[in-house]
Amino acid sequence: MYKLRLFKDKFMSKLMLVLTLVSVSVLFVIGVGLYYHSIPILRKLPLSDLLTTSVWKPLKGLFGFYPFIMGTLWVTAISIIIALPLCLLTALYINEYAPARIRKILTPFVNLLSGIPPVIFGVWGVLFIIPLIQDHIAPHFVAFSTGYSVLAGGIVLAVMIFPLIVSIITEVLRTIPQDLRDASLSLGATKWETTRKVILRKALPGIIAALVLAISRAFGETIAVLMVCGNNAAVPHSVFDPGYPLPALIANNYGEMLSIPMYDSALMFAALLLFVIILLFNLISRVILARLERKLAS
Amino acid sequence: MKRRKFEELFFRVLMVLATVFVAGSFFLIVGTIFYKGAPYMNLDMITKTPGGGFYIGKEGGILNAIVGSMYIAGGATILGLLISIPVAIYINMYMNGKTFLANTLRMAFDVLFGIPSIVYGAFGFLIMVYFGLRASLLGGIIAVTLLVIPILVRTLDEVIRTVPFELRDAALSLGATRWEMAKVVLRQIRPGIFTAILLSFGRAIGDVASVLFTAGFSDNIPTSLHEPAATLPLAIFFQLSSPVEEVQGRGYASALVLTIVVLIITVLSEALIKNFFKHKI
């Protein structure tokens, strides 16, 4: 009886160890698998060519990723420019200004927004943002726009990353000790001066971490962006131009990728590119956030 | 002095406006979907599979996609739980939870959580090609399982950390093995496990990019793991890209169905989380 219990403990511990190692190693296996499948394209064209040329003609064996990289950057940049100030102000309001009652009402809405699936954001983009840009925004700036543009992608993405940024900055603000606020206020600073000169300065590393995480989320978002940003393989020159981000490229072409030589390899390279960039961004911001949390604990 | 007061007021107004905008975007989205989807909503949509000519505007519904989504999200959540519960227990109870190694593992799962679903989709596709599988229910479940494991592990990890250490110590001091202690803790976190299930199910049911390569699409309800399966988000996507107005409208109605399902799940899990932490100090 005694032996059996110890054996059970040993057995379960080994089993759990294996499961843990297997599930964590998915991270490496994804990287290795994607790299392995990108080798053919990397052999054929040097990395610098792949990243900087803009001709995309799979049938002729020309794979220039530049337009897709620029498409991704445009959409991501627009979304961050829209989302960051709004979310920073919202997080500050929820944490520093709002009375507890309002805070309690607001927090669930942020969570509800984070639960909405990407495809719904896409549908909303098509139904609401596209006509808005086509009829009300674009005519003031350019002669003609269908609405399907990097701006539409950026707006939809911005709303998608609202909950992420708000919740992380809220967490960060919570790690700032109340004493700091009290000290500043007792010296005669107004609430806003305290927020700007004490809280924001103290929270800066966390805000940067939130920003980097948001960028990586925006980078990898597929379907919502695919539905609204036009998918034209050319480098966008204005916010009203269509763009073609990397994730959309992968999603749109998987059907035919096995019938054209090197095509599958090129798409796997696109996935590898996304994977590596997002891996790095995530690691950086997670390390910053973990450090902040540890500082709070000690 | 006046300037300082003005600045205070200015930023206060700005903050309230930003908050109204951020919280309001939720209503804007759900409102838009309801407004456009409701007129096309009818009982056929959720009780019938697509009939012949569904995609040119004739009779039928999206039952195939609803059931397919349930199968994939359900299967992935169950499979994910079988893997994640032991992992969360191992990190917290066998590795003591606070060591450098435990924190590194947590970070690895956080990073996995950040990997976009299109990458999981591409990777899932590679696995299927490697094993010679065709796009099927099984392939979809595998890809989505990979996607939800980090969510489940991190949620369960947080939940386990709320269990007081004294409880574990008490179990151990009575001579229990660590596995027996784990069983005590598991009983404590039952509501937390349910929350994790809902979170993972909600994420799984709404994801498109990971099932795009792996689950295929079919007008029938799959009867075995090797048949392709339709999912709701993909059905929405396909119907929306149709030029026929009636079919587009059904896309909006399908979006409405998905929104309602996901909202119910989110509200349930919110309520559960509140309940779960109510008894904690």
Side-chain angles (χ1 to χ4, degrees):
Chain A
M1 185 61 199
Y2 179 70
K3 280 259 172 75
L4 182 70
R5 287 178 54 215
L6 284 190
F7 173 73
K8 244 190 201 165
D9 185 49
K10 271 247 166 64
F11 176 76
M12 290 312 285
S13 122
K14 290 282 176 301
L15 184 72
M16 290 184 204
L17 176 65
V18 169
L19 282 174
T20 307
L21 291 180
V22 167
S23 52
V24 147
S25 61
V26 167
L27 198 57
F28 300 98
V29 179
I30 291 180
V32 172
L34 291 178
Y35 177 69
Y36 179 76
H37 282 264
S38 324
I39 289 176
I41 190 99
L42 286 167
R43 278 230 180 96
K44 191 166 165 260
L45 298 161
L47 187 64
S48 55
D49 276 17
L50 281 176
L51 298 182
T52 54
T53 58
S54 9
V55 185
W56 182 264
K57 288 200 172 113
L59 282 170
K60 291 187 181 155
L62 294 170
F63 298 97
F65 279 94
Y66 189 65
F68 306 101
I69 294 170
M70 288 316 284
T72 309
L73 289 181
W74 270 84
V75 171
T76 306
I78 293 170
S79 72
I80 296 292
I81 290 169
I82 297 172
L84 189 68
L86 279 173
C87 291
L88 192 56
L89 286 168
T90 304
L92 284 174
Y93 180 72
I94 291 180
N95 259 278
E96 309 293 327
Y97 284 81
R101 198 165 46 87
I102 292 185
R103 193 180 314 168
K104 255 191 200 143
I105 301 172
L106 280 175
T107 328
F109 281 116
V110 178
N111 291 338
L112 279 175
L113 192 60
S114 77
I116 294 179
V119 72
I120 300 296
F121 282 96
V123 175
W124 174 68
V126 171
L127 290 177
F128 188 84
I129 298 295
I130 300 285
L132 186 74
I133 291 178
Q134 190 183 2
D135 301 334
H136 300 286
I137 301 179
H140 298 294
F141 299 96
V142 290
F144 176 76
S145 170
T146 54
Y148 291 89
S149 56
V150 284
L151 179 63
I155 295 174
V156 170
L157 261 186
V159 180
M160 285 185 79
I161 57 179
F162 278 168
L164 179 79
I165 310 184
V166 170
S167 66
I168 295 176
I169 297 184
T170 306
E171 289 292 316
V172 171
L173 291 176
R174 227 174 266 158
T175 66
I176 295 170
Q178 185 62 36
D179 302 359
L180 281 178
R181 298 184 181 95
D182 295 344
S184 166
L185 288 174
S186 70
L187 286 172
T190 62
K191 190 131 195 178
W192 169 248
E193 282 166 342
T194 306
T195 306
R196 185 164 61 94
K197 294 190 174 149
V198 180
I199 310 278
L200 275 184
R201 194 166 299 172
K202 197 84 180 145
L204 192 64
I207 293 172
I208 292 173
L211 176 70
V212 177
L213 264 188
I215 292 174
S216 79
R217 174 68 55 87
F219 239 79
E221 187 42 54
T222 316
I223 207 78
V225 178
L226 188 154
M227 288 165 82
V228 296
C229 76
N231 300 328
N232 184 5
V235 180
H237 294 289
S238 91
V239 294
F240 299 108
D241 282 346
Y244 205 159
L246 274 173
L249 170 75
I250 306 172
N252 262 341
N253 295 293
Y254 77 100
E256 55 215 86
M257 73 181 180
L258 287 176
S259 50
I260 301 169
M262 305 294 277
Y263 206 1
D264 59 330
S265 183
L267 291 185
M268 289 307 148
F269 174 71
L272 179 69
L273 218 56
L274 275 179
F275 175 78
V276 171
I277 293 170
I278 288 166
L279 184 78
L280 287 178
F281 278 26
N282 264 274
L283 266 180
I284 295 168
S285 51
R286 289 293 172 191
V287 168
I288 298 176
L289 287 172
R291 265 201 205 143
L292 283 180
E293 200 176 315
R294 220 169 305 143
K295 232 191 242 164
L296 174 79
S298 64
Chain B
M1 196 59 201
K2 269 253 170 84
R3 206 187 59 83
R4 289 176 62 203
K5 283 269 192 274
F6 174 75
E7 201 179 302
E8 172 84 35
L9 188 72
F10 176 74
F11 279 99
R12 199 180 269 254
V13 170
L14 213 59
M15 280 179 197
V16 174
L17 284 180
T19 310
V20 168
F21 197 85
V22 169
S25 58
F26 168 76
F27 294 101
L28 191 58
I29 292 169
V30 174
T32 309
I33 303 286
F34 262 86
Y35 177 73
K36 288 280 189 175
Y40 291 95
M41 202 57 205
N42 54 45
L43 204 58
D44 277 8
M45 280 297 287
I46 52 171
T47 54
K48 282 190 181 150
T49 57
F54 176 69
Y55 294 100
I56 49 170
K58 297 223 179 93
E59 54 164 17
I62 48 157
L63 185 66
N64 61 326
I66 296 174
V67 175
S69 269
M70 292 292 169
Y71 280 168
I72 288 184
T77 302
I78 291 168
L79 211 58
L81 270 183
L82 290 178
I83 297 167
S84 313
I85 291 181
V87 172
I89 289 179
Y90 193 83
I91 293 178
N92 277 288
M93 286 178 223
Y94 284 81
M95 292 176 62
N96 281 326
K98 281 183 178 162
T99 55
F100 175 74
L101 199 61
N103 281 326
T104 312
L105 277 176
R106 281 200 186 100
M107 195 168 295
F109 282 109
D110 276 340
V111 171
L112 272 171
F113 180 62
I115 301 296
S117 57
I118 187 81
V119 173
Y120 281 107
F123 177 66
F125 181 77
L126 288 184
I127 299 180
M128 284 167 47
V129 170
Y130 187 78
F131 287 107
L133 293 167
R134 277 205 337 223
S136 61
L137 191 57
L138 182 66
I141 290 178
I142 292 173
V144 177
T145 304
L146 291 176
L147 184 80
V148 297
I149 282 179
I151 306 175
L152 283 167
V153 169
R154 288 300 278 131
T155 315
L156 290 171
D157 177 47
E158 294 294 332
V159 168
I160 288 178
R161 279 204 271 184
T162 61
V163 178
F165 267 90
E166 288 80 1
L167 192 72
R168 303 185 203 178
D169 293 343
L172 281 182
S173 68
L174 286 171
T177 62
R178 280 176 301 177
W179 170 238
E180 285 160 348
M181 168 184 85
K183 282 198 278 190
V184 173
V185 173
L186 271 183
R187 200 162 307 150
Q188 283 291 312
I189 61 164
R190 234 182 257 162
I193 294 180
F194 208 71
T195 313
I197 292 176
L198 286 177
L199 278 178
S200 130
F201 192 82
R203 177 82 196 272
I205 205 167
D207 197 79
V208 210
S210 60
V211 294
L212 197 56
F213 301 159
T214 47
F217 198 85
S218 146
D219 280 351
N220 303 313
I221 294 171
T223 49
S224 88
L225 280 175
H226 299 288
E227 280 176 38
T231 55
L232 256 179
L234 213 50
I236 295 170
F237 183 62
F238 286 155
Q239 289 172 47
L240 220 58
S241 45
S242 154
V244 186
E245 199 180 321
E246 175 68 22
V247 179
Q248 276 185 16
R250 283 183 189 150
Y252 307 149
S254 314
L256 182 57
V257 173
L258 180 61
T259 308
I260 292 172
V261 170
V262 169
L263 281 185
I264 291 173
I265 292 173
T266 322
V267 169
L268 265 182
S269 60
E270 279 289 304
L272 270 174
I273 290 175
K274 234 179 235 158
N275 244 336
F276 181 58
F277 288 103
K278 196 169 63 185
H279 306 293
K280 303 282 175 256
I281 311 153

